[in-house]
Amino acid sequence: MGKSARPQVVYIVEDDDDVRGGFSRLVRSAGLEARPYESAERFLDEVVDGERACILLDITMPLLTGIQVQERLNERRIALPVITISARDDDETRKLARELGARLFLRKPVDDQALLDAIQWVTSAA
């Protein structure tokens, strides 16, 4: 990852404590700033557009799904790059996530290096 005055921010929206904690540790180990959220609602209350950031977004969550979060981000014109992550891997879900602007769709469990590469790719393409 490139060096900058301030670390790259990675919003992690994942309802599973263990997965969220693992993603957070991985992101921090790469010198990035992890901002973990256990709920989509809290994330939507706090997300800031315009900073050097990306979003790791679980698709299957209670109350608001990852798809619904993407719809709300689009409504608010928040254009941060999104990497969707899900144990659910079907063509319809992938297609909908892409149509809503997700840059990548990764299937759980996600390889650590593949995730770090994905973060680097979406933030350099932004």
Side-chain angles (χ1 to χ4, degrees):
M1 310 280 159
K3 303 239 184 219
S4 66
R6 132 185 107 127
Q8 165 82 38
V9 173
V10 180
Y11 291 101
I12 302 166
V13 187
E14 167 64 62
D15 62 312
D16 184 294
D17 293 339
D18 292 334
V19 174
R20 188 176 59 256
F23 285 163
S24 295
R25 284 187 298 281
L26 177 65
V27 163
R28 285 191 304 272
S29 76
L32 307 172
E33 180 183 338
R35 290 193 194 161
Y37 294 88
E38 74 285 348
S39 78
E41 298 78 16
R42 193 167 76 81
F43 162 71
L44 288 168
D45 286 343
E46 296 180 14
V47 65
V48 177
D49 196 14
E51 66 184 336
R52 205 169 99 83
C54 71
I55 303 165
L56 298 181
L57 179 60
D58 186 20
I59 292 289
T60 308
M61 295 184 291
L63 301 180
L64 287 178
T65 67
I67 296 298
Q68 291 168 317
V69 170
Q70 284 186 271
E71 290 170 340
R72 299 229 174 132
L73 291 170
N74 290 342
E75 288 167 4
R76 293 171 50 188
R77 293 184 175 21
I78 294 176
L80 297 174
V82 174
I83 301 168
T84 53
I85 301 169
S86 183
R88 180 179 170 183
D89 186 17
D90 60 78
D91 291 339
E92 181 180 336
T93 302
R94 283 177 174 269
K95 181 178 184 243
L96 191 50
R98 274 191 233 110
E99 286 174 353
L100 290 169
R103 304 274 178 89
L104 290 170
F105 186 105
L106 301 175
R107 185 173 175 6
K108 291 179 183 177
V110 179
D111 175 78
D112 289 353
Q113 189 59 55
L115 183 56
L116 292 175
D117 290 346
I119 292 168
Q120 182 176 18
W121 182 78
V122 301
T123 55
S124 66

